[in-house]
Amino acid sequence: MTDSSKFVRVCGLSELEEDTPRRVEVDGTPISVVKTEGEVFAINDICSHANVSLSEGEVDDCHIECWLHGSRFDLRSGKPDALPATRPVPVYPVKIEGDDVLVSLTQES
């Protein structure tokens, strides 16, 4: 059984482009990793309104927008701030160690 609080390397910091989501998987969970505004965020990659990948959307003002219907999610909290989505998506803790970006499946509160 996997320890959900364990951090897993998902990519190199140098591999992330500013405001360009990158889809990764941790233990079968799809995650969108985003570098924006000097920070790195990890958010579940599946829109809570429609079963589509958020990593295919655009990033602006610390939000990621679903490309299909335009729902926007705050990268810090996962909360939607634009309809049609009304449910948040999980966000995950991120650690940077050197050039390594590490993510834990433990959800932030």
Side-chain angles (χ1 to χ4, degrees):
M1 183 166 198
T2 302
D3 177 6
S4 64
S5 65
K6 184 178 179 184
F7 281 84
V8 176
R9 183 187 188 280
V10 294
C11 65
L13 185 59
S14 59
E15 298 171 46
L16 295 175
E17 294 180 39
E18 187 76 13
D19 296 330
T20 302
R22 179 184 181 109
R23 182 184 169 107
V24 299
E25 282 197 16
V26 175
D27 291 337
T29 300
I31 297 171
S32 182
V33 178
V34 180
K35 180 171 77 171
T36 187
E37 299 182 9
E39 294 186 65
V40 177
F41 300 93
I43 189 167
N44 192 283
D45 193 45
I46 305 302
C47 178
S48 63
H49 168 256
N51 190 24
V52 297
S53 176
L54 291 175
S55 63
E56 295 177 29
E58 294 184 12
V59 174
D60 182 49
D61 193 28
C62 216
H63 288 77
I64 190 165
E65 182 176 316
C66 179
W67 62 270
L68 187 59
H69 295 118
S71 293
R72 285 173 34 104
F73 298 90
D74 189 313
L75 290 168
R76 297 163 290 222
S77 67
K79 293 179 181 172
D81 70 356
L83 295 173
T86 58
R87 290 177 294 128
V89 293
V91 294
Y92 307 102
V94 174
K95 281 203 268 188
I96 307 297
E97 293 182 354
D99 187 56
D100 293 334
V101 177
L102 308 164
V103 173
S104 172
L105 288 184
T106 302
Q107 292 184 30
E108 294 185 338
S109 49

